Amino acid sequence: MQSATIPDPTAIRQRLSDAGLKPTQQRLMIYAAALGMHGHFDAEAVYMGLQADAPSLSRGTVYRTLEAFVEAGLLKQVSTHESHMLFDASLHPHHHLFCETTGEIIDFEDPELSTLIQNYLASKGIDGFEVDDFQLNIFGRRKGMAATAGQAAPHPTV
Amino acid sequence: MQSATIPDPTAIRQRLSDAGLKPTQQRLMIYAAALGMHGHFDAEAVYMGLQADAPSLSRGTVYRTLEAFVEAGLLKQVSTHESHMLFDASLHPHHHLFCETTGEIIDFEDPELSTLIQNYLASKGIDGFEVDDFQLNIFGRRKGMAATAGQAAPHPTV
DNA sequence: TTCCCTGCAAACGGTTTGCACCCCA
DNA sequence: TGGGGTGCAAACCGTTTGCAGGGAA
């Protein structure tokens, strides 16, 4: 669901420029790598993933670049309980299921729910606060993998 | 809103026992300290807060104990973007506003919204997943402190 | 006595930083 | 050429862990 289409190099370059980021070699590579990740990923995964193609790319650059991407709105961060940062290349509204048994984080897309919350916040507003975005974290346990093609099935990730 | 009432020592002792935790000196102190914290706090804050009363209390014990408390359901963890763990002594359903300007995390209590989401999840269910709990993170910016005593006012915290 | 808990201190691992060099606009 | 970006490596800092001593039932 995320990482759906990896844009061609020109488009990537364009996106970086649009975001106000100088399209350097490293940024192009890191952005492409991020889009190619399935689900959530951390800085280390990006670093390791690029080791083969760019052995001289430094870990520090990866951290700095991911941070810049988040700030520019090219990536999102996943909010977790862990002391470890997770990124998400998927920008469209979705939520996360946290399986307390396995620790895995599963993407959960439910436009109806998103809209519900969205509308609620829009109509009631929050006094003294301007809302940009929101993220619903749902905690629980994965059940026996029934996979009955129900209406609201999670999308297994990471 | 949280830390509302700090139970007396006997009650604290009782809660620990109920949670299946041996009520040791250290646990009693740490639990009391946690309940006394306003809003969100990290392990370091607890450690520092107890330094005066219990100089021999070790940092490791604080970490282990807070973890045990979370596991026992005596505390919650706040899910954040940061690589740093935050705890919350408030167990009743509430959400968090993340101010992207100041970085502060503000408690946001809105029973109507909680119920709305609650009911939605209960009625639709999530295929293959059993929901225990949820937490809504709202990102945005604090506005000019108007404080017009609106219906849905955030509760400033940490 | 037994088992769990704690203190201590070292190790860990993810993240940040200072600095000199490099590169793109 | 100027100013931001990068590589490198060390420093940071929150967190975890192994182990020996301690405490409550």
Side-chain angles (χ1 to χ4, degrees):
Chain A
M1 221 74 244
Q2 53 287 332
S3 80
T5 40
I6 303 181
D8 62 280
T10 324
I12 291 189
R13 188 183 227 45
Q14 188 60 43
R15 285 204 206 170
L16 291 179
S17 304
D18 291 350
L21 296 172
K22 202 186 285 186
T24 65
Q25 282 302 318
Q26 292 87 340
R27 285 175 176 172
L28 292 170
M29 296 181 54
I30 294 173
Y31 188 44
L35 293 178
M37 292 278 166
H38 294 288
H40 320 106
F41 57 90
D42 56 19
E44 188 65 13
V46 172
Y47 177 67
M48 293 307 273
L50 290 172
Q51 275 293 77
D53 295 336
S56 70
L57 176 67
S58 83
R59 203 176 251 106
T61 297
V62 173
Y63 277 93
R64 277 185 285 229
T65 303
L66 291 176
E67 187 190 351
F69 286 175
V70 168
E71 207 147 334
L74 294 172
L75 292 180
K76 276 191 174 184
Q77 275 183 273
V78 184
S79 54
T80 72
H81 285 173
E82 287 139 51
S83 57
H84 174 213
M85 287 183 177
L86 278 188
F87 299 89
D88 195 333
S90 167
L91 296 179
H92 53 256
H94 68 282
H95 307 288
H96 295 110
L97 306 178
F98 292 78
C99 177
E100 284 159 357
T101 310
T102 64
E104 73 191 318
I105 303 173
I106 305 160
D107 273 357
F108 174 55
E109 235 164 311
D110 186 334
E112 189 182 339
L113 178 56
S114 298
T115 305
L116 188 70
I117 299 172
Q118 173 88 284
N119 288 343
Y120 181 89
L121 292 176
S123 70
K124 287 209 60 169
I126 299 175
D127 194 40
F129 196 82
E130 189 185 334
V131 177
D132 272 353
D133 193 17
F134 60 88
Q135 204 172 297
L136 181 66
N137 288 345
I138 302 174
F139 306 96
R141 248 166 291 42
R142 196 160 203 156
K143 289 188 295 196
M145 301 269 65
T148 332
Q151 72 290 53
H155 304 280
T157 320
V158 165
Chain B
M1 223 71 243
Q2 53 289 332
S3 82
T5 40
I6 302 181
D8 62 280
T10 324
I12 291 189
R13 187 183 224 55
Q14 188 59 44
R15 285 204 205 170
L16 290 179
S17 306
D18 291 351
L21 296 171
K22 199 186 288 183
T24 64
Q25 283 302 317
Q26 292 85 342
R27 286 175 175 172
L28 292 170
M29 295 179 54
I30 294 173
Y31 188 45
L35 293 178
M37 293 276 165
H38 294 288
H40 320 105
F41 57 91
D42 56 19
E44 187 67 13
V46 172
Y47 177 68
M48 293 306 274
L50 290 173
Q51 276 292 76
D53 295 336
S56 71
L57 176 67
S58 83
R59 204 177 250 106
T61 296
V62 173
Y63 277 93
R64 278 187 286 230
T65 303
L66 291 176
E67 186 190 353
F69 286 176
V70 168
E71 206 147 335
L74 294 172
L75 291 181
K76 277 191 175 184
Q77 276 183 273
V78 184
S79 56
T80 72
H81 286 173
E82 286 140 52
S83 56
H84 175 211
M85 287 182 176
L86 279 188
F87 300 89
D88 195 332
S90 168
L91 296 179
H92 53 257
H94 68 283
H95 306 289
H96 295 110
L97 307 178
F98 292 78
C99 177
E100 284 159 357
T101 309
T102 64
E104 73 191 317
I105 302 173
I106 306 160
D107 273 358
F108 174 56
E109 234 164 313
D110 185 335
E112 189 182 340
L113 177 56
S114 298
T115 305
L116 187 71
I117 298 171
Q118 172 88 282
N119 288 344
Y120 181 90
L121 292 176
S123 71
K124 288 209 61 170
I126 298 175
D127 195 39
F129 197 83
E130 189 185 333
V131 176
D132 272 353
D133 193 17
F134 60 88
Q135 203 172 295
L136 182 65
N137 288 346
I138 302 174
F139 306 96
R141 246 167 291 46
R142 196 162 203 153
K143 288 188 295 195
M145 300 271 66
T148 332
Q151 75 288 54
H155 303 281
T157 320
V158 164

